[in-house]
Amino acid sequence: MISLHTSPLDQPGTGDAGGMNVYVTEVAQRLAQRGIEVDIFTRATNSQLPALVPLSPGVNVRHIVSGPFEGLAKDELPGQLCVFAREVLRTEAQFDVGHYDVVHSHYWLSGQVGALARDRWGVPLVHSMHTMAKVKNDLLAEGDTPEPHARVIGEEQVVAAADMLIANTVDEAKDLINAYDADPGRVEVVHPGVDLHAFRPTSQAAARARLGLRQDAEVLLFVGRIQPLKAPDVLLRAAAELLRTDPALRDRLVVAVVGGPSGSGLEHPTALADLAGSLGIDDVVRFVPPVRRDELVDWYAAATLVCVPSYNESFGLVAVEAQAVGTPVVAAAVGGLTTAVADGRSGFLVDGHDPADYARVFASIIEAPQLRAALSVGAVAQAADFSWDRTADATLAVYRRAVALMASETVR
Ligand code: UDP
């Protein structure tokens, strides 16, 4: 696997580390459980990192030195593609011929390197886009910077070079075909998953006690990288609206934002705290730096609901994780969230980003504990449709198809 711009060893929920890191780690580990050895190439971002770090049995992270360790933004990485690719090829050259059977690249930068490795090693390239510039630019948050045209061209080149493309959802597959001219016969839909052992129904009371939250609280939770695309401001504005219509809630309301700044959010790291101040709700908003999985389970379990108001989301692992814990999700009806959330059964999908609409949905759940209880049951059932084991099985089937496709083309 190639995950150039972000390492599976990084803590997700801040900077460039998010769902893709979780995806790469979870799928690699499950492939290893199925007897597939996985090397993950990523860029070294720290001079202390060893060249090879075993992640788990059968999975190694290989750090490639290319460019300065720290301080290189994602948009500067195209300038490092050549040296990164050269070092990947050098690493492989130390092994016996035929060391790798498949290259699976994640995000377009890795795809550029993967396309080169594919031709050099004579093995198929399987590529996962994770996000696409054309889709992202169509759904920009206000004031967010569009992705550059060079990325669009880079993505088109990767789509053309890949033997197989993995799409998170049917919609993503359509975008690949319609916006990127992908051959429909080479696109396979594989849903991401959730670790149903780690994220399992958990007592709300116990979680609240562990987090020091009062038992009668109403907790509105946002989890993820803080940037305009994820629209955490919509949650804050909706919470302010909720308090305007129901001031008695003030003592019990907690708006928790778990995660750290990322992307264009890094340019204004205090923007959300400033917004809470200007909305007059800084007494109810709590900012929590990125947390590890066991604490995240507690946050999900403690929440009345999890809000995912993103402008775009290629899937939305947070929505599935929250539901697996038994917490309803109120999400924007965009991208993968329409697959991840069953509207009216495991939560609600909201059209658009008007805070008043979100506030109304919050109120309907808060005012009707029996509705929340029913959604909670629906949430667990909805999440049960997704699992990393299934993702890994389907990914392996795509690898086999890619190998067969390449073999048939070689014979021709
Ligand atoms: N995450 C985490 N700790 C945090 C915040 C987020 O481990 O404090 C993880 C979360 O569990 C999820 C991922 O980061 O698996 C975010 O994935 P998602 O698909 O929701 O968003 P993305 O980052 O891909 O945009």
Side-chain angles (χ1 to χ4, degrees):
M1 289 193 188
I2 306 177
S3 174
L4 188 154
H5 78 280
T6 178
S7 166
L9 300 173
D10 293 343
Q11 165 68 49
T14 190
D16 287 331
M20 194 183 106
N21 305 60
V22 175
Y23 187 112
V24 168
T25 306
E26 296 285 349
V27 172
Q29 287 178 337
R30 279 161 184 79
L31 288 171
Q33 286 161 8
R34 286 155 179 75
I36 312 292
E37 282 183 46
V38 185
D39 275 2
I40 305 167
F41 288 96
T42 191
R43 201 179 77 85
T45 51
N46 167 339
S47 62
Q48 305 305 310
L49 289 169
L52 188 145
V53 178
L55 182 72
S56 54
V59 183
N60 289 318
V61 176
R62 292 187 178 275
H63 290 113
I64 296 293
V65 177
S66 55
F69 294 106
E70 280 112 2
L72 211 54
K74 193 160 85 175
D75 58 5
E76 293 170 293
L77 290 177
Q80 296 302 324
L81 287 179
C82 274
V83 72
F84 186 93
R86 190 184 69 205
E87 293 304 320
V88 169
L89 297 184
R90 276 188 181 162
T91 304
E92 191 270 348
Q94 297 164 11
F95 305 133
D96 290 340
V97 174
H99 187 73
Y100 296 119
D101 297 299
V102 171
V103 186
H104 185 174
S105 50
H106 297 271
Y107 195 70
W108 76 278
L109 293 167
S110 305
Q112 290 276 327
V113 179
L116 189 67
R118 171 201 186 273
D119 288 357
R120 184 86 189 102
W121 302 340
V123 302
L125 172 67
V126 175
H127 181 72
S128 300
M129 294 291 256
H130 293 280
T131 67
M132 290 183 270
K134 287 185 187 176
V135 177
K136 220 173 154 185
N137 286 348
D138 279 349
L139 298 161
L140 279 186
E142 210 183 301
D144 219 354
T145 337
E147 290 297 313
H149 193 55
R151 173 175 168 187
V152 173
I153 295 170
E155 290 180 338
E156 288 170 346
Q157 291 163 340
V158 174
V159 168
D163 297 273
M164 287 297 300
L165 291 154
I166 291 182
N168 280 342
T169 60
V170 173
D171 283 346
E172 191 183 326
K174 284 184 192 153
D175 287 334
L176 276 166
I177 294 161
N178 298 330
Y180 285 87
D181 213 16
D183 172 355
R186 291 180 183 261
V187 180
E188 201 73 63
V189 176
V190 177
H191 293 317
V194 58
D195 184 336
L196 293 168
H197 295 289
F199 296 101
R200 58 170 180 266
T202 303
S203 150
Q204 187 180 71
R208 287 186 175 184
R210 281 192 291 271
L211 293 171
L213 296 166
R214 47 192 277 186
Q215 290 298 335
D216 65 348
E218 299 296 349
V219 182
L220 312 180
L221 176 65
F222 171 94
V223 173
R225 297 176 292 129
I226 299 173
Q227 54 171 299
L229 180 79
K230 296 269 179 187
D233 61 300
V234 171
L235 169 61
L236 264 56
R237 291 181 208 278
E241 176 66 18
L242 185 66
L243 286 177
R244 202 182 56 75
T245 51
D246 186 0
L249 253 183
R250 185 151 214 130
D251 283 352
R252 302 192 289 123
L253 191 69
V254 177
V255 179
V257 178
V258 178
S262 169
S264 58
L266 286 161
E267 291 157 29
H268 309 284
T270 64
L272 211 53
D274 295 345
L275 177 67
S278 65
L279 291 168
I281 58 165
D282 37 9
D283 54 325
V284 301
V285 180
R286 276 184 57 177
F287 292 99
V288 181
V291 294
R292 305 201 69 84
R293 190 171 269 199
D294 48 344
E295 199 177 331
L296 194 55
V297 172
D298 274 347
W299 274 107
Y300 288 139
T304 308
L305 59 88
V306 170
C307 185
V308 189
S310 312
Y311 285 91
N312 181 33
E313 201 66 68
S314 80
F315 189 67
L317 293 182
V318 160
V320 186
E321 292 165 2
Q323 292 175 116
V325 172
T327 302
V329 174
V330 178
V334 296
L337 292 169
T338 59
T339 303
V341 178
D343 190 26
R345 284 188 285 130
S346 67
F348 291 106
L349 291 168
V350 180
D351 286 322
H353 294 85
D354 184 342
D357 293 335
Y358 287 80
R360 268 193 295 278
V361 177
F362 296 167
S364 72
I365 296 174
I366 289 171
E367 284 160 13
Q370 69 284 13
L371 171 63
R372 195 215 176 256
L375 291 172
S376 174
V377 172
V380 175
Q382 170 70 359
D385 280 348
F386 302 96
S387 86
W388 290 120
D389 283 314
R390 257 184 244 178
T391 311
D393 286 336
T395 303
L396 195 47
V398 174
Y399 292 172
R400 293 213 164 95
R401 231 188 110 197
V403 170
L405 267 172
M406 190 177 231
S408 69
E409 276 160 16
T410 314
V411 169
R412 269 210 307 274

